[in-house]
Each structure stands twice: as structure tokens, then as C-alpha cells.
Amino acid sequence: MTDIASTDVVDEPAPAEMPDLLDELDTIVDKLQNTGFTRLSDAEVDDAGMRIERAIARLTYTGNQQIVEADQRDLPRKSGYRSVIDYMKHRLRIAYPGKRLKQTRATATYPDLTTGEPLEPTHPTLAEAFANGQVGSAHVHAVMDVLDQIPHAIPLDVQVAAERTMAEQAVNLTPEQMNHPRFDAASF
């Protein structure tokens, strides 16, 4: 596929510091990979694991916002892909693009089509926990699996309360625990 040159004029120019930040990120990741864990205490290895997983969740959330921006700019089509899924799979090298797109649509901020103003994510409490690195991708999917079972006839305020409850619980539970019968859609 073709490389995408930034020749289009956009309403808001990309921040000049983004490429520099990404270069810094690459440098930091290189340093982390080359430093190793063997000289750390048990507590430091444990802390490093928690911090790395939190950073992975935060970066995934950030990557989801990039997917939204690419989709809004029609970059998949401009670079020769038939769909955003193909773009995600081939250009971005995302392993499970369908699952990732579902996750993105539930937790990312999309612009309003008429005003361009950012809209609240479909699942705002879950999105906040994901952006903060308090939950990972598997948590997001576990919560969405339960929320997807709630019938559309259920009042919106109940659905919103269910999302809030599930997201708050996800912060303290494993994805497997989120599949417990107490989180069955019927309990909402």
C-alpha cells in the first residue's frame, strides 16, 4: 500500500510535538528492553510489571484515538485499503482488528458530525478507566460482553448505571471474574 503524505489541510494542525513524543517513546522502550529486570528486587519487579501493564492499556487507548482520527480523515481509503479493518490489520499490524475496532467504538471519543466537537464515548466510565490504565483490553471486552446482553428495551438510565457499575468493578476484578453470573445482564 502507499505511504500517506500529509498534504491535506485539516482544521486543527497536528501538534508539532507528536513526532518528537513518539521518538521519545521509542527511546524509552529501547532503554526498558535493554535494561532488564535481573538486578531489581522482587518488589521492584512486581511494581515494574504493574506499571508496564498500565502503560500498555494507556497506549492502547491512545492508539484507539489514532484509529478514530485516521478513520475520520479517511486514511484507510486514501492509502488503498477497502476498510478500516484492512487498514488496521495491514497498515497498523493489529492482531485482532475486529475486536479492537469494537473496543475503539465503545471507548474512544468521536467528533460530532455536525459541529466537530468531541462526543462522550459510548461507555464513558469504562473509557476513563481504560485511558488511566486501570483496566486493559480484556476488561473492556468482558464489560462490553455483559452490556451487549442488556435488551434495548431497558431504560437508558439503567443501561448507563450498568455501564458505570461494570466499569467500576472491572478496576478491581479480572476479566474472568467479570463473566461471573452476578454480572449477568438480567441482574441489571
Side-chain angles (χ1 to χ4, degrees), residues 67-103:
I67 291 167
V68 170
E69 186 67 25
D71 191 28
Q72 295 300 306
R73 293 181 186 202
D74 202 21
L75 293 185
R77 184 195 56 77
K78 288 178 182 177
S79 55
Y81 297 98
R82 292 178 176 229
S83 68
V84 71
I85 293 283
D86 285 345
Y87 173 80
M88 292 168 68
K89 184 187 320 176
H90 298 288
R91 180 83 172 164
L92 303 181
R93 315 274 305 148
I94 294 174
Y96 301 103
K99 285 183 78 169
R100 179 78 175 269
L101 187 58
K102 182 178 178 183
Q103 169 186 292

PDB file of all heavy atoms in Angstrom, residues 67-103:
ATOM      1  N   ILE A  67      -6.839   5.598  15.676  1.00  0.00           N
ATOM      2  CA  ILE A  67      -7.695   4.890  14.722  1.00  0.00           C
ATOM      3  C   ILE A  67      -8.908   5.751  14.370  1.00  0.00           C
ATOM      4  O   ILE A  67      -9.294   5.852  13.199  1.00  0.00           O
ATOM      5  CB  ILE A  67      -8.134   3.518  15.283  1.00  0.00           C
ATOM      6  CG1 ILE A  67      -6.920   2.580  15.350  1.00  0.00           C
ATOM      7  CG2 ILE A  67      -9.255   2.905  14.453  1.00  0.00           C
ATOM      8  CD1 ILE A  67      -7.159   1.324  16.171  1.00  0.00           C
ATOM      9  N   VAL A  68      -9.497   6.397  15.369  1.00  0.00           N
ATOM     10  CA  VAL A  68     -10.638   7.287  15.118  1.00  0.00           C
ATOM     11  C   VAL A  68     -10.217   8.409  14.171  1.00  0.00           C
ATOM     12  O   VAL A  68     -10.907   8.708  13.189  1.00  0.00           O
ATOM     13  CB  VAL A  68     -11.195   7.875  16.436  1.00  0.00           C
ATOM     14  CG1 VAL A  68     -12.205   8.983  16.162  1.00  0.00           C
ATOM     15  CG2 VAL A  68     -11.821   6.781  17.284  1.00  0.00           C
ATOM     16  N   GLU A  69      -9.081   9.037  14.478  1.00  0.00           N
ATOM     17  CA  GLU A  69      -8.608  10.146  13.638  1.00  0.00           C
ATOM     18  C   GLU A  69      -8.328   9.677  12.219  1.00  0.00           C
ATOM     19  O   GLU A  69      -8.702  10.356  11.249  1.00  0.00           O
ATOM     20  CB  GLU A  69      -7.365  10.778  14.258  1.00  0.00           C
ATOM     21  CG  GLU A  69      -6.887  12.022  13.556  1.00  0.00           C
ATOM     22  CD  GLU A  69      -7.834  13.195  13.658  1.00  0.00           C
ATOM     23  OE1 GLU A  69      -8.630  13.266  14.624  1.00  0.00           O
ATOM     24  OE2 GLU A  69      -7.794  14.066  12.756  1.00  0.00           O
ATOM     25  N   ALA A  70      -7.680   8.537  12.072  1.00  0.00           N
ATOM     26  CA  ALA A  70      -7.399   8.001  10.738  1.00  0.00           C
ATOM     27  C   ALA A  70      -8.695   7.727   9.979  1.00  0.00           C
ATOM     28  O   ALA A  70      -8.813   8.059   8.787  1.00  0.00           O
ATOM     29  CB  ALA A  70      -6.568   6.725  10.853  1.00  0.00           C
ATOM     30  N   ASP A  71      -9.677   7.161  10.671  1.00  0.00           N
ATOM     31  CA  ASP A  71     -10.969   6.865  10.055  1.00  0.00           C
ATOM     32  C   ASP A  71     -11.681   8.151   9.656  1.00  0.00           C
ATOM     33  O   ASP A  71     -12.227   8.257   8.564  1.00  0.00           O
ATOM     34  CB  ASP A  71     -11.820   6.039  11.013  1.00  0.00           C
ATOM     35  CG  ASP A  71     -13.067   5.471  10.362  1.00  0.00           C
ATOM     36  OD1 ASP A  71     -13.062   5.239   9.131  1.00  0.00           O
ATOM     37  OD2 ASP A  71     -14.055   5.263  11.088  1.00  0.00           O
ATOM     38  N   GLN A  72     -11.661   9.153  10.532  1.00  0.00           N
ATOM     39  CA  GLN A  72     -12.313  10.428  10.234  1.00  0.00           C
ATOM     40  C   GLN A  72     -11.680  11.125   9.028  1.00  0.00           C
ATOM     41  O   GLN A  72     -12.364  11.809   8.274  1.00  0.00           O
ATOM     42  CB  GLN A  72     -12.267  11.357  11.452  1.00  0.00           C
ATOM     43  CG  GLN A  72     -13.064  10.863  12.641  1.00  0.00           C
ATOM     44  CD  GLN A  72     -14.539  10.700  12.323  1.00  0.00           C
ATOM     45  OE1 GLN A  72     -15.180  11.634  11.848  1.00  0.00           O
ATOM     46  NE2 GLN A  72     -15.080   9.527  12.569  1.00  0.00           N
ATOM     47  N   ARG A  73     -10.397  10.948   8.853  1.00  0.00           N
ATOM     48  CA  ARG A  73      -9.687  11.552   7.718  1.00  0.00           C
ATOM     49  C   ARG A  73      -9.733  10.662   6.473  1.00  0.00           C
ATOM     50  O   ARG A  73      -9.181  11.016   5.434  1.00  0.00           O
ATOM     51  CB  ARG A  73      -8.228  11.803   8.077  1.00  0.00           C
ATOM     52  CG  ARG A  73      -8.050  12.849   9.132  1.00  0.00           C
ATOM     53  CD  ARG A  73      -6.595  13.060   9.410  1.00  0.00           C
ATOM     54  NE  ARG A  73      -6.396  13.955  10.518  1.00  0.00           N
ATOM     55  CZ  ARG A  73      -5.284  14.637  10.721  1.00  0.00           C
ATOM     56  NH1 ARG A  73      -4.276  14.520   9.883  1.00  0.00           N
ATOM     57  NH2 ARG A  73      -5.182  15.425  11.767  1.00  0.00           N
ATOM     58  N   ASP A  74     -10.345   9.486   6.601  1.00  0.00           N
ATOM     59  CA  ASP A  74     -10.474   8.525   5.508  1.00  0.00           C
ATOM     60  C   ASP A  74      -9.109   8.000   5.050  1.00  0.00           C
ATOM     61  O   ASP A  74      -8.906   7.706   3.873  1.00  0.00           O
ATOM     62  CB  ASP A  74     -11.262   9.128   4.345  1.00  0.00           C
ATOM     63  CG  ASP A  74     -11.872   8.070   3.440  1.00  0.00           C
ATOM     64  OD1 ASP A  74     -12.041   6.909   3.896  1.00  0.00           O
ATOM     65  OD2 ASP A  74     -12.171   8.382   2.276  1.00  0.00           O
ATOM     66  N   LEU A  75      -8.171   7.901   5.994  1.00  0.00           N
ATOM     67  CA  LEU A  75      -6.835   7.411   5.661  1.00  0.00           C
ATOM     68  C   LEU A  75      -6.839   5.976   5.133  1.00  0.00           C
ATOM     69  O   LEU A  75      -6.025   5.657   4.245  1.00  0.00           O
ATOM     70  CB  LEU A  75      -5.892   7.534   6.854  1.00  0.00           C
ATOM     71  CG  LEU A  75      -5.559   8.960   7.294  1.00  0.00           C
ATOM     72  CD1 LEU A  75      -4.524   8.934   8.408  1.00  0.00           C
ATOM     73  CD2 LEU A  75      -5.090   9.818   6.152  1.00  0.00           C
ATOM     74  N   PRO A  76      -7.716   5.095   5.642  1.00  0.00           N
ATOM     75  CA  PRO A  76      -7.707   3.743   5.057  1.00  0.00           C
ATOM     76  C   PRO A  76      -7.922   3.762   3.541  1.00  0.00           C
ATOM     77  O   PRO A  76      -7.165   3.153   2.791  1.00  0.00           O
ATOM     78  CB  PRO A  76      -8.850   3.043   5.785  1.00  0.00           C
ATOM     79  CG  PRO A  76      -8.900   3.724   7.123  1.00  0.00           C
ATOM     80  CD  PRO A  76      -8.605   5.173   6.803  1.00  0.00           C
ATOM     81  N   ARG A  77      -8.923   4.503   3.087  1.00  0.00           N
ATOM     82  CA  ARG A  77      -9.203   4.574   1.647  1.00  0.00           C
ATOM     83  C   ARG A  77      -8.082   5.299   0.915  1.00  0.00           C
ATOM     84  O   ARG A  77      -7.622   4.864  -0.140  1.00  0.00           O
ATOM     85  CB  ARG A  77     -10.534   5.274   1.386  1.00  0.00           C
ATOM     86  CG  ARG A  77     -10.921   5.282  -0.100  1.00  0.00           C
ATOM     87  CD  ARG A  77     -12.028   6.262  -0.425  1.00  0.00           C
ATOM     88  NE  ARG A  77     -11.739   7.631  -0.028  1.00  0.00           N
ATOM     89  CZ  ARG A  77     -10.926   8.474  -0.682  1.00  0.00           C
ATOM     90  NH1 ARG A  77     -10.314   8.087  -1.771  1.00  0.00           N
ATOM     91  NH2 ARG A  77     -10.733   9.706  -0.249  1.00  0.00           N
ATOM     92  N   LYS A  78      -7.602   6.407   1.477  1.00  0.00           N
ATOM     93  CA  LYS A  78      -6.532   7.173   0.831  1.00  0.00           C
ATOM     94  C   LYS A  78      -5.264   6.352   0.648  1.00  0.00           C
ATOM     95  O   LYS A  78      -4.491   6.613  -0.273  1.00  0.00           O
ATOM     96  CB  LYS A  78      -6.203   8.419   1.657  1.00  0.00           C
ATOM     97  CG  LYS A  78      -7.267   9.492   1.612  1.00  0.00           C
ATOM     98  CD  LYS A  78      -6.861  10.653   2.514  1.00  0.00           C
ATOM     99  CE  LYS A  78      -7.907  11.733   2.556  1.00  0.00           C
ATOM    100  NZ  LYS A  78      -7.529  12.817   3.491  1.00  0.00           N
ATOM    101  N   SER A  79      -5.045   5.397   1.529  1.00  0.00           N
ATOM    102  CA  SER A  79      -3.835   4.584   1.407  1.00  0.00           C
ATOM    103  C   SER A  79      -4.093   3.254   0.698  1.00  0.00           C
ATOM    104  O   SER A  79      -3.231   2.380   0.678  1.00  0.00           O
ATOM    105  CB  SER A  79      -3.198   4.364   2.786  1.00  0.00           C
ATOM    106  OG  SER A  79      -4.126   3.813   3.685  1.00  0.00           O
ATOM    107  N   GLY A  80      -5.288   3.103   0.112  1.00  0.00           N
ATOM    108  CA  GLY A  80      -5.557   1.959  -0.744  1.00  0.00           C
ATOM    109  C   GLY A  80      -6.236   0.779  -0.088  1.00  0.00           C
ATOM    110  O   GLY A  80      -6.327  -0.285  -0.696  1.00  0.00           O
ATOM    111  N   TYR A  81      -6.714   0.931   1.137  1.00  0.00           N
ATOM    112  CA  TYR A  81      -7.390  -0.167   1.809  1.00  0.00           C
ATOM    113  C   TYR A  81      -8.894  -0.033   1.616  1.00  0.00           C
ATOM    114  O   TYR A  81      -9.430   1.060   1.522  1.00  0.00           O
ATOM    115  CB  TYR A  81      -7.026  -0.190   3.298  1.00  0.00           C
ATOM    116  CG  TYR A  81      -5.550  -0.432   3.512  1.00  0.00           C
ATOM    117  CD1 TYR A  81      -4.685   0.625   3.748  1.00  0.00           C
ATOM    118  CD2 TYR A  81      -5.026  -1.716   3.426  1.00  0.00           C
ATOM    119  CE1 TYR A  81      -3.323   0.410   3.908  1.00  0.00           C
ATOM    120  CE2 TYR A  81      -3.662  -1.936   3.587  1.00  0.00           C
ATOM    121  CZ  TYR A  81      -2.827  -0.869   3.827  1.00  0.00           C
ATOM    122  OH  TYR A  81      -1.487  -1.092   3.974  1.00  0.00           O
ATOM    123  N   ARG A  82      -9.575  -1.169   1.581  1.00  0.00           N
ATOM    124  CA  ARG A  82     -11.014  -1.163   1.351  1.00  0.00           C
ATOM    125  C   ARG A  82     -11.827  -0.817   2.592  1.00  0.00           C
ATOM    126  O   ARG A  82     -12.969  -0.408   2.485  1.00  0.00           O
ATOM    127  CB  ARG A  82     -11.469  -2.536   0.841  1.00  0.00           C
ATOM    128  CG  ARG A  82     -10.971  -2.838  -0.527  1.00  0.00           C
ATOM    129  CD  ARG A  82     -11.422  -4.220  -0.945  1.00  0.00           C
ATOM    130  NE  ARG A  82     -11.006  -4.454  -2.307  1.00  0.00           N
ATOM    131  CZ  ARG A  82     -11.814  -4.915  -3.233  1.00  0.00           C
ATOM    132  NH1 ARG A  82     -13.046  -5.224  -2.948  1.00  0.00           N
ATOM    133  NH2 ARG A  82     -11.360  -5.095  -4.448  1.00  0.00           N
ATOM    134  N   SER A  83     -11.223  -1.007   3.771  1.00  0.00           N
ATOM    135  CA  SER A  83     -11.962  -0.773   5.007  1.00  0.00           C
ATOM    136  C   SER A  83     -11.001  -0.381   6.120  1.00  0.00           C
ATOM    137  O   SER A  83      -9.786  -0.567   6.007  1.00  0.00           O
ATOM    138  CB  SER A  83     -12.719  -2.039   5.426  1.00  0.00           C
ATOM    139  OG  SER A  83     -11.789  -3.054   5.807  1.00  0.00           O
ATOM    140  N   VAL A  84     -11.572   0.137   7.180  1.00  0.00           N
ATOM    141  CA  VAL A  84     -10.758   0.472   8.351  1.00  0.00           C
ATOM    142  C   VAL A  84     -10.161  -0.802   8.949  1.00  0.00           C
ATOM    143  O   VAL A  84      -9.030  -0.789   9.439  1.00  0.00           O
ATOM    144  CB  VAL A  84     -11.560   1.307   9.380  1.00  0.00           C
ATOM    145  CG1 VAL A  84     -12.622   0.477  10.073  1.00  0.00           C
ATOM    146  CG2 VAL A  84     -10.633   1.933  10.406  1.00  0.00           C
ATOM    147  N   ILE A  85     -10.880  -1.914   8.875  1.00  0.00           N
ATOM    148  CA  ILE A  85     -10.367  -3.194   9.374  1.00  0.00           C
ATOM    149  C   ILE A  85      -9.108  -3.598   8.606  1.00  0.00           C
ATOM    150  O   ILE A  85      -8.105  -4.005   9.194  1.00  0.00           O
ATOM    151  CB  ILE A  85     -11.441  -4.303   9.274  1.00  0.00           C
ATOM    152  CG1 ILE A  85     -12.607  -4.027  10.225  1.00  0.00           C
ATOM    153  CG2 ILE A  85     -10.840  -5.684   9.526  1.00  0.00           C
ATOM    154  CD1 ILE A  85     -12.350  -4.329  11.667  1.00  0.00           C
ATOM    155  N   ASP A  86      -9.152  -3.494   7.272  1.00  0.00           N
ATOM    156  CA  ASP A  86      -7.969  -3.823   6.471  1.00  0.00           C
ATOM    157  C   ASP A  86      -6.804  -2.895   6.808  1.00  0.00           C
ATOM    158  O   ASP A  86      -5.656  -3.329   6.886  1.00  0.00           O
ATOM    159  CB  ASP A  86      -8.287  -3.745   4.974  1.00  0.00           C
ATOM    160  CG  ASP A  86      -9.113  -4.917   4.489  1.00  0.00           C
ATOM    161  OD1 ASP A  86      -9.210  -5.933   5.214  1.00  0.00           O
ATOM    162  OD2 ASP A  86      -9.681  -4.814   3.381  1.00  0.00           O
ATOM    163  N   TYR A  87      -7.100  -1.620   6.985  1.00  0.00           N
ATOM    164  CA  TYR A  87      -6.076  -0.643   7.375  1.00  0.00           C
ATOM    165  C   TYR A  87      -5.451  -1.038   8.709  1.00  0.00           C
ATOM    166  O   TYR A  87      -4.231  -1.039   8.855  1.00  0.00           O
ATOM    167  CB  TYR A  87      -6.726   0.737   7.454  1.00  0.00           C
ATOM    168  CG  TYR A  87      -5.860   1.845   8.012  1.00  0.00           C
ATOM    169  CD1 TYR A  87      -4.904   2.476   7.220  1.00  0.00           C
ATOM    170  CD2 TYR A  87      -6.025   2.281   9.324  1.00  0.00           C
ATOM    171  CE1 TYR A  87      -4.122   3.500   7.727  1.00  0.00           C
ATOM    172  CE2 TYR A  87      -5.246   3.306   9.835  1.00  0.00           C
ATOM    173  CZ  TYR A  87      -4.306   3.920   9.034  1.00  0.00           C
ATOM    174  OH  TYR A  87      -3.539   4.941   9.540  1.00  0.00           O
ATOM    175  N   MET A  88      -6.287  -1.399   9.666  1.00  0.00           N
ATOM    176  CA  MET A  88      -5.798  -1.785  10.990  1.00  0.00           C
ATOM    177  C   MET A  88      -4.946  -3.055  10.906  1.00  0.00           C
ATOM    178  O   MET A  88      -3.907  -3.158  11.560  1.00  0.00           O
ATOM    179  CB  MET A  88      -6.975  -1.992  11.944  1.00  0.00           C
ATOM    180  CG  MET A  88      -7.721  -0.705  12.280  1.00  0.00           C
ATOM    181  SD  MET A  88      -9.289  -1.008  13.123  1.00  0.00           S
ATOM    182  CE  MET A  88      -8.708  -1.651  14.690  1.00  0.00           C
ATOM    183  N   LYS A  89      -5.403  -4.004  10.106  1.00  0.00           N
ATOM    184  CA  LYS A  89      -4.705  -5.294  10.000  1.00  0.00           C
ATOM    185  C   LYS A  89      -3.373  -5.160   9.267  1.00  0.00           C
ATOM    186  O   LYS A  89      -2.352  -5.655   9.734  1.00  0.00           O
ATOM    187  CB  LYS A  89      -5.600  -6.299   9.274  1.00  0.00           C
ATOM    188  CG  LYS A  89      -5.019  -7.697   9.204  1.00  0.00           C
ATOM    189  CD  LYS A  89      -5.829  -8.664   8.342  1.00  0.00           C
ATOM    190  CE  LYS A  89      -7.298  -8.529   8.482  1.00  0.00           C
ATOM    191  NZ  LYS A  89      -8.068  -9.400   7.589  1.00  0.00           N
ATOM    192  N   HIS A  90      -3.387  -4.487   8.125  1.00  0.00           N
ATOM    193  CA  HIS A  90      -2.207  -4.468   7.274  1.00  0.00           C
ATOM    194  C   HIS A  90      -1.283  -3.270   7.522  1.00  0.00           C
ATOM    195  O   HIS A  90      -0.072  -3.441   7.561  1.00  0.00           O
ATOM    196  CB  HIS A  90      -2.616  -4.515   5.797  1.00  0.00           C
ATOM    197  CG  HIS A  90      -3.361  -5.760   5.453  1.00  0.00           C
ATOM    198  ND1 HIS A  90      -2.758  -7.003   5.370  1.00  0.00           N
ATOM    199  CD2 HIS A  90      -4.681  -5.966   5.204  1.00  0.00           C
ATOM    200  CE1 HIS A  90      -3.662  -7.918   5.065  1.00  0.00           C
ATOM    201  NE2 HIS A  90      -4.837  -7.320   4.956  1.00  0.00           N
ATOM    202  N   ARG A  91      -1.834  -2.104   7.678  1.00  0.00           N
ATOM    203  CA  ARG A  91      -1.003  -0.906   7.866  1.00  0.00           C
ATOM    204  C   ARG A  91      -0.513  -0.790   9.314  1.00  0.00           C
ATOM    205  O   ARG A  91       0.655  -0.539   9.568  1.00  0.00           O
ATOM    206  CB  ARG A  91      -1.798   0.346   7.476  1.00  0.00           C
ATOM    207  CG  ARG A  91      -1.061   1.631   7.624  1.00  0.00           C
ATOM    208  CD  ARG A  91      -0.201   1.879   6.440  1.00  0.00           C
ATOM    209  NE  ARG A  91       0.364   3.217   6.510  1.00  0.00           N
ATOM    210  CZ  ARG A  91       1.380   3.584   5.788  1.00  0.00           C
ATOM    211  NH1 ARG A  91       1.917   2.734   4.935  1.00  0.00           N
ATOM    212  NH2 ARG A  91       1.859   4.791   5.882  1.00  0.00           N
ATOM    213  N   LEU A  92      -1.450  -0.955  10.262  1.00  0.00           N
ATOM    214  CA  LEU A  92      -1.095  -0.800  11.672  1.00  0.00           C
ATOM    215  C   LEU A  92      -0.632  -2.104  12.307  1.00  0.00           C
ATOM    216  O   LEU A  92      -0.135  -2.091  13.436  1.00  0.00           O
ATOM    217  CB  LEU A  92      -2.277  -0.221  12.457  1.00  0.00           C
ATOM    218  CG  LEU A  92      -2.810   1.121  11.957  1.00  0.00           C
ATOM    219  CD1 LEU A  92      -3.960   1.597  12.841  1.00  0.00           C
ATOM    220  CD2 LEU A  92      -1.720   2.172  11.872  1.00  0.00           C
ATOM    221  N   ARG A  93      -0.847  -3.223  11.623  1.00  0.00           N
ATOM    222  CA  ARG A  93      -0.399  -4.549  12.093  1.00  0.00           C
ATOM    223  C   ARG A  93      -1.091  -4.962  13.390  1.00  0.00           C
ATOM    224  O   ARG A  93      -0.493  -5.573  14.270  1.00  0.00           O
ATOM    225  CB  ARG A  93       1.123  -4.586  12.242  1.00  0.00           C
ATOM    226  CG  ARG A  93       1.917  -3.986  11.108  1.00  0.00           C
ATOM    227  CD  ARG A  93       2.227  -4.867   9.959  1.00  0.00           C
ATOM    228  NE  ARG A  93       2.905  -6.071  10.374  1.00  0.00           N
ATOM    229  CZ  ARG A  93       2.746  -7.224   9.746  1.00  0.00           C
ATOM    230  NH1 ARG A  93       1.954  -7.302   8.711  1.00  0.00           N
ATOM    231  NH2 ARG A  93       3.376  -8.286  10.154  1.00  0.00           N
ATOM    232  N   ILE A  94      -2.350  -4.647  13.524  1.00  0.00           N
ATOM    233  CA  ILE A  94      -3.133  -5.005  14.703  1.00  0.00           C
ATOM    234  C   ILE A  94      -3.604  -6.447  14.552  1.00  0.00           C
ATOM    235  O   ILE A  94      -4.169  -6.822  13.524  1.00  0.00           O
ATOM    236  CB  ILE A  94      -4.316  -4.026  14.890  1.00  0.00           C
ATOM    237  CG1 ILE A  94      -3.762  -2.638  15.223  1.00  0.00           C
ATOM    238  CG2 ILE A  94      -5.278  -4.515  15.955  1.00  0.00           C
ATOM    239  CD1 ILE A  94      -4.806  -1.540  15.298  1.00  0.00           C
ATOM    240  N   ALA A  95      -3.395  -7.252  15.583  1.00  0.00           N
ATOM    241  CA  ALA A  95      -3.655  -8.689  15.514  1.00  0.00           C
ATOM    242  C   ALA A  95      -5.139  -9.032  15.361  1.00  0.00           C
ATOM    243  O   ALA A  95      -5.484  -9.880  14.557  1.00  0.00           O
ATOM    244  CB  ALA A  95      -3.084  -9.379  16.752  1.00  0.00           C
ATOM    245  N   TYR A  96      -5.992  -8.432  16.134  1.00  0.00           N
ATOM    246  CA  TYR A  96      -7.426  -8.733  16.084  1.00  0.00           C
ATOM    247  C   TYR A  96      -8.174  -7.439  15.794  1.00  0.00           C
ATOM    248  O   TYR A  96      -8.791  -6.856  16.695  1.00  0.00           O
ATOM    249  CB  TYR A  96      -7.894  -9.356  17.394  1.00  0.00           C
ATOM    250  CG  TYR A  96      -7.167 -10.640  17.721  1.00  0.00           C
ATOM    251  CD1 TYR A  96      -6.151 -10.669  18.671  1.00  0.00           C
ATOM    252  CD2 TYR A  96      -7.478 -11.816  17.052  1.00  0.00           C
ATOM    253  CE1 TYR A  96      -5.466 -11.838  18.948  1.00  0.00           C
ATOM    254  CE2 TYR A  96      -6.793 -12.995  17.321  1.00  0.00           C
ATOM    255  CZ  TYR A  96      -5.788 -12.994  18.275  1.00  0.00           C
ATOM    256  OH  TYR A  96      -5.112 -14.158  18.543  1.00  0.00           O
ATOM    257  N   PRO A  97      -8.152  -6.993  14.546  1.00  0.00           N
ATOM    258  CA  PRO A  97      -8.715  -5.685  14.234  1.00  0.00           C
ATOM    259  C   PRO A  97     -10.213  -5.558  14.500  1.00  0.00           C
ATOM    260  O   PRO A  97     -10.677  -4.488  14.890  1.00  0.00           O
ATOM    261  CB  PRO A  97      -8.389  -5.481  12.760  1.00  0.00           C
ATOM    262  CG  PRO A  97      -8.159  -6.857  12.226  1.00  0.00           C
ATOM    263  CD  PRO A  97      -7.608  -7.652  13.365  1.00  0.00           C
ATOM    264  N   GLY A  98     -10.966  -6.641  14.328  1.00  0.00           N
ATOM    265  CA  GLY A  98     -12.407  -6.574  14.607  1.00  0.00           C
ATOM    266  C   GLY A  98     -12.689  -6.298  16.069  1.00  0.00           C
ATOM    267  O   GLY A  98     -13.501  -5.435  16.414  1.00  0.00           O
ATOM    268  N   LYS A  99     -12.005  -7.032  16.939  1.00  0.00           N
ATOM    269  CA  LYS A  99     -12.169  -6.814  18.380  1.00  0.00           C
ATOM    270  C   LYS A  99     -11.686  -5.416  18.774  1.00  0.00           C
ATOM    271  O   LYS A  99     -12.316  -4.738  19.574  1.00  0.00           O
ATOM    272  CB  LYS A  99     -11.397  -7.871  19.181  1.00  0.00           C
ATOM    273  CG  LYS A  99     -12.049  -9.233  19.184  1.00  0.00           C
ATOM    274  CD  LYS A  99     -11.280 -10.203  20.044  1.00  0.00           C
ATOM    275  CE  LYS A  99     -11.610  -9.935  21.501  1.00  0.00           C
ATOM    276  NZ  LYS A  99     -11.109 -10.973  22.402  1.00  0.00           N
ATOM    277  N   ARG A 100     -10.576  -5.001  18.198  1.00  0.00           N
ATOM    278  CA  ARG A 100     -10.015  -3.698  18.541  1.00  0.00           C
ATOM    279  C   ARG A 100     -10.947  -2.582  18.079  1.00  0.00           C
ATOM    280  O   ARG A 100     -11.128  -1.585  18.779  1.00  0.00           O
ATOM    281  CB  ARG A 100      -8.634  -3.559  17.907  1.00  0.00           C
ATOM    282  CG  ARG A 100      -7.932  -2.254  18.154  1.00  0.00           C
ATOM    283  CD  ARG A 100      -7.301  -2.167  19.548  1.00  0.00           C
ATOM    284  NE  ARG A 100      -6.536  -0.947  19.673  1.00  0.00           N
ATOM    285  CZ  ARG A 100      -5.248  -0.826  19.395  1.00  0.00           C
ATOM    286  NH1 ARG A 100      -4.552  -1.876  19.011  1.00  0.00           N
ATOM    287  NH2 ARG A 100      -4.665   0.334  19.508  1.00  0.00           N
ATOM    288  N   LEU A 101     -11.555  -2.723  16.905  1.00  0.00           N
ATOM    289  CA  LEU A 101     -12.471  -1.703  16.418  1.00  0.00           C
ATOM    290  C   LEU A 101     -13.707  -1.622  17.304  1.00  0.00           C
ATOM    291  O   LEU A 101     -14.193  -0.528  17.610  1.00  0.00           O
ATOM    292  CB  LEU A 101     -12.853  -1.959  14.960  1.00  0.00           C
ATOM    293  CG  LEU A 101     -13.672  -0.866  14.286  1.00  0.00           C
ATOM    294  CD1 LEU A 101     -12.931   0.470  14.314  1.00  0.00           C
ATOM    295  CD2 LEU A 101     -13.991  -1.253  12.850  1.00  0.00           C
ATOM    296  N   LYS A 102     -14.198  -2.771  17.757  1.00  0.00           N
ATOM    297  CA  LYS A 102     -15.344  -2.775  18.682  1.00  0.00           C
ATOM    298  C   LYS A 102     -14.967  -2.053  19.978  1.00  0.00           C
ATOM    299  O   LYS A 102     -15.742  -1.241  20.496  1.00  0.00           O
ATOM    300  CB  LYS A 102     -15.776  -4.215  18.973  1.00  0.00           C
ATOM    301  CG  LYS A 102     -16.985  -4.305  19.869  1.00  0.00           C
ATOM    302  CD  LYS A 102     -17.415  -5.750  20.105  1.00  0.00           C
ATOM    303  CE  LYS A 102     -18.603  -5.764  21.049  1.00  0.00           C
ATOM    304  NZ  LYS A 102     -19.030  -7.110  21.386  1.00  0.00           N
ATOM    305  N   GLN A 103     -13.790  -2.337  20.479  1.00  0.00           N
ATOM    306  CA  GLN A 103     -13.282  -1.681  21.687  1.00  0.00           C
ATOM    307  C   GLN A 103     -13.159  -0.174  21.459  1.00  0.00           C
ATOM    308  O   GLN A 103     -13.547   0.636  22.297  1.00  0.00           O
ATOM    309  CB  GLN A 103     -11.927  -2.281  22.020  1.00  0.00           C
ATOM    310  CG  GLN A 103     -11.126  -1.572  23.060  1.00  0.00           C
ATOM    311  CD  GLN A 103      -9.755  -2.203  23.183  1.00  0.00           C
ATOM    312  OE1 GLN A 103      -9.645  -3.338  23.643  1.00  0.00           O
ATOM    313  NE2 GLN A 103      -8.731  -1.520  22.753  1.00  0.00           N
TER     314      GLN A 103
END
